[in-house]
Amino acid sequence: WIKRSESIIKRYRDERSRVDEDGQRRYNALWANVEILKPAFYGKIPLPVAERRFKDKDPTGRAAAQILERALRNEIEICGFNEALQQAVSDYLLPGRGTVWVRYEPEIEESVSLPPEPQTDMRDAQGGIQGTETDTEHDRPKRQRARLNEPEDQEPEEAEPEEEAEKDDEAPEEQKLMDTGDRVVRESTPVDFVPWDDFFYFPIRARNWSEVTAVAKRVYMSRNQMKKRFGDVVGKKIPLQKDDRGDKTQNTTLQAQEQDKGQVYEVWDKEDECVYWVAQGYDYLADRKDDPLTLEYFFPCPKPLFANPTTNTCIPVPDFIQYQDQAIQIDELTQRISMLAKACKVAGVYNAAAKDVQRLLNESVENELIPVDDWAAFAGEKGGVAGNMSLLPVQDIIGVINELMMVKQKQIEEMDRLTGINDIMRGTSDPRETLGGVRLKSNSSGTRLTSRQNEVARFARDTLRIMADIMSQHFSPQSLIDVSGALYEEGLGPKDMP
């Protein structure tokens, strides 16, 4: 399946050398069919809906459903959902398997805040109050001298309101900010596209998805990324592998070093309820965690999109395999028609003794006659121009081309019947066809594609369910309020948040 998929992608991209392109003509039916089916399966970003299964009188459930639905509609616009789904559908139509992966990603930063127990300013106009920490030795003689000069029956003067207001304004400036550790400033659920050759499931002989006990994805990480994720000790010991995903024509040493990355496999095992990180070439586990997300179905990815599944294996069959014989024959007919079209030109032979005939082909321009010596002999004995020149039988070549074109059209129609792409899907129809005939063909084409459209819809729905599960369990109440804007529903705003 991997070898088939690689050849199918090369054909879709039409990766041929310049020599092959000049000497070979091809009808890229694979590209045409994929570009027609892709918008038919996934046309635009879906609209999340979260609601109670039964519309019972449950105010708490109704509020929770509204918060979750608004949060999903906001998150789906910024988490990469649309791009990941488009790429998954492309893999579904080419290699035959499309996959996405949902992550929980909190954005953490170092926060600063006021002290948990701010100290009260215990000073007045004459210094610190006696018996407090602000009562310094410099302030005590000044307060004693004030008391000696003060009559016993005289009440202390009260400070004027303006001075008190100034003291109150100055008090907060004395409170110093202190570090209170890291805090979560934003929470999100990014949706990542997993290429078809970087996704794995176990056991490999699983007959259907219910028998799959573990899934994994391969991630290419640089040295700094591995140190940041697994620590300096483990990050240094993981060997770097050649990253040949990109252009393989770059052979310089510097470019080769830049392409070296570590291959890390993230394995989610449902039986052990653990997540393992295994690195290529490293003899120990890079990391291990016990069910970090606690999802309902454990896996952070939905059931992949499988093309042409059967009941005895999870290995898909690409669509192109089903009509590759017709596509190859169409390519052969296209190549033959191209060669005959090149031969369909004015060519022939002429009598070398009749040099005037050569001048007719080489020197003649519009509305110009070429003089011929001894016209009687040229026209009588030699038979004129027709007797001295014989052209290539172009009519026979045109007849062969027309026959090949008819055979090619029949093959294209046969391929369309296999793929379910008819003239309605292509946007063309017979102008003489009745309205009932058009509707009948449209309904039949819709029925043919409905099951596959429903499968893509199921895939998008399961992805949204995982996002909602992560939000419900791991988002803080403040994050859910922020991402859903739930207070606006009640006529409130951020200033009204506790």
Side-chain angles (χ1 to χ4, degrees):
W1 171 68
I2 292 177
K3 293 180 180 179
R4 279 179 166 183
S5 301
E6 291 175 349
S7 62
I8 288 172
I9 291 177
K10 287 183 179 179
R11 179 181 178 88
Y12 175 80
R13 295 171 57 87
D14 199 8
E15 294 182 354
R16 292 179 291 171
S17 63
R18 187 63 181 173
V19 177
D20 294 337
E21 289 179 355
D22 293 339
Q24 183 181 8
R25 292 294 178 266
R26 177 182 291 179
Y27 181 85
N28 200 339
L30 175 63
W31 175 83
N33 293 340
V34 168
E35 293 303 310
I36 291 173
L37 291 176
K38 191 184 301 182
F41 291 161
Y42 183 78
K44 60 180 181 180
I45 188 169
L47 186 66
V49 176
E51 61 183 8
R52 296 161 293 165
R53 187 177 299 274
F54 305 106
K55 305 299 178 64
D56 299 329
K57 293 182 179 181
D58 181 10
T60 304
R62 180 184 61 84
Q66 287 181 352
I67 290 176
L68 197 56
E69 180 175 319
R70 292 165 68 101
L72 285 172
R73 293 189 180 186
N74 184 35
E75 185 70 17
I76 199 175
E77 298 286 346
I78 58 178
C79 69
F81 180 93
N82 188 40
E83 294 79 5
L85 262 290
Q86 287 179 344
Q87 293 173 316
V89 172
S90 296
D91 275 3
Y92 174 50
L93 293 173
L94 288 172
R97 187 177 68 191
T99 316
V100 297
W101 199 280
V102 185
R103 293 183 292 111
Y104 168 62
E105 187 176 89
E107 183 179 342
I108 301 176
E109 73 173 5
E110 202 174 77
S111 63
V112 291
S113 178
L114 293 175
E117 296 180 359
Q119 299 177 353
T120 306
D121 189 7
M122 302 296 292
R123 293 180 301 173
D124 57 10
Q126 297 179 357
I129 299 176
Q130 188 176 5
T132 62
E133 296 179 358
T134 57
D135 183 16
T136 61
E137 296 180 356
H138 180 268
D139 295 332
R140 289 171 187 169
K142 183 169 59 175
R143 298 185 63 86
Q144 293 174 358
R145 289 194 301 268
R147 289 197 181 94
L148 291 175
N149 297 331
E150 212 173 81
E152 294 181 358
D153 57 349
Q154 183 178 355
E155 296 180 0
E157 297 179 357
E158 295 181 0
E160 297 181 0
E162 295 180 359
E163 296 179 358
E164 291 181 355
E166 293 177 0
K167 295 185 183 67
D168 294 337
D169 294 339
E170 294 174 358
E173 297 179 359
E174 301 298 333
Q175 299 177 2
K176 295 183 179 180
L177 297 177
M178 61 181 294
D179 184 13
T180 58
D182 298 340
R183 69 186 181 98
V184 177
V185 296
R186 185 179 179 274
E187 296 173 281
S188 61
T189 57
V191 180
D192 299 330
F193 163 71
V194 181
W196 61 273
D197 53 347
D198 288 341
F199 178 80
F200 308 91
Y201 61 87
F202 311 95
I204 191 63
R205 296 185 182 275
R207 293 171 297 178
N208 49 65
W209 188 250
S210 61
E211 296 180 358
V212 174
T213 59
V215 296
K217 67 173 180 177
R218 175 171 52 189
V219 181
Y220 293 82
M221 305 178 69
S222 63
R223 179 68 71 188
N224 292 333
Q225 291 174 338
M226 289 187 293
K227 288 182 180 180
K228 185 177 180 180
R229 173 60 183 83
F230 304 113
D232 293 338
V233 177
V234 178
K236 290 180 181 179
K237 293 183 179 180
I238 297 177
L240 298 179
Q241 309 287 338
K242 183 178 180 181
D243 186 5
D244 55 355
R245 295 174 296 170
D247 190 4
K248 299 182 180 180
T249 60
Q250 300 175 354
N251 297 322
T252 62
T253 304
L254 179 61
Q255 290 171 337
Q257 291 178 355
E258 291 177 351
Q259 292 179 355
D260 292 342
K261 290 186 177 181
Q263 297 184 17
V264 181
Y265 296 82
E266 181 179 331
V267 185
W268 288 65
D269 191 348
K270 184 189 297 185
E271 292 184 344
D272 297 342
E273 293 187 352
C274 290
V275 183
Y276 305 96
W277 283 266
V278 184
Q280 182 78 20
Y282 184 63
D283 295 335
Y284 305 93
L285 282 177
D287 195 5
R288 176 188 179 277
K289 289 185 178 180
D290 294 332
D291 197 2
L293 296 180
T294 62
L295 300 174
E296 182 179 2
Y297 299 105
F298 183 76
F299 294 147
C301 62
K303 175 186 174 182
L305 291 169
F306 291 112
N308 307 304
T310 56
T311 58
N312 61 343
T313 180
C314 284
I315 299 177
V317 180
D319 291 344
F320 181 72
I321 300 299
Q322 309 297 343
Y323 62 90
Q324 62 178 347
D325 293 339
Q326 285 73 25
I328 293 174
Q329 188 170 2
I330 292 174
D331 287 344
E332 294 175 353
L333 293 172
T334 303
Q335 175 68 11
R336 193 168 300 173
I337 292 173
S338 175
M339 296 176 62
L340 289 175
K342 290 182 179 179
C344 188
K345 56 186 178 181
V346 178
V349 295
Y350 70 97
N351 185 5
K355 297 181 179 180
D356 296 331
V357 176
Q358 180 183 10
R359 291 180 58 195
L360 178 65
L361 297 177
N362 296 337
E363 302 178 8
S364 176
V365 294
E366 295 182 1
N367 301 325
E368 180 179 354
L369 299 177
I370 297 177
V372 177
D373 298 336
D374 196 2
W375 171 257
F378 177 78
E381 298 177 0
K382 298 181 179 181
V385 176
N388 289 273
M389 180 175 60
S390 178
L391 296 177
L392 187 70
V394 179
Q395 293 296 331
D396 296 339
I397 298 176
I398 293 176
V400 175
I401 291 177
N402 291 334
E403 291 295 329
L404 293 177
M405 291 289 290
M406 294 176 61
V407 176
K408 179 181 176 180
Q409 184 64 29
K410 293 292 184 181
Q411 290 297 320
I412 293 176
E413 293 176 359
E414 183 177 351
M415 183 183 64
D416 287 348
R417 284 196 297 269
L418 290 175
T419 58
I421 303 175
N422 50 25
D423 53 354
I424 297 295
M425 288 293 297
R426 295 183 184 276
T428 59
S429 179
D430 188 355
R432 297 167 295 178
E433 195 167 11
T434 61
L435 178 60
V438 173
R439 288 180 176 177
L440 180 62
K441 297 173 71 174
S442 179
N443 293 335
S444 62
S445 64
T447 305
R448 178 75 179 272
L449 300 177
T450 298
S451 61
R452 303 188 69 179
Q453 291 173 340
N454 292 339
E455 178 65 12
V456 176
R458 188 274 314 165
F459 181 74
R461 181 205 61 197
D462 290 351
T463 305
L464 287 172
R465 281 181 174 175
I466 296 175
M467 295 171 58
D469 200 348
I470 294 175
M471 288 180 177
S472 301
Q473 297 193 56
H474 300 282
F475 275 30
S476 64
Q478 185 69 26
S479 296
L480 281 175
I481 291 175
D482 291 341
V483 74
S484 64
L487 291 183
Y488 292 104
E489 180 72 14
E490 305 298 333
L492 303 177
K495 60 183 177 59
D496 302 309
M497 291 184 184

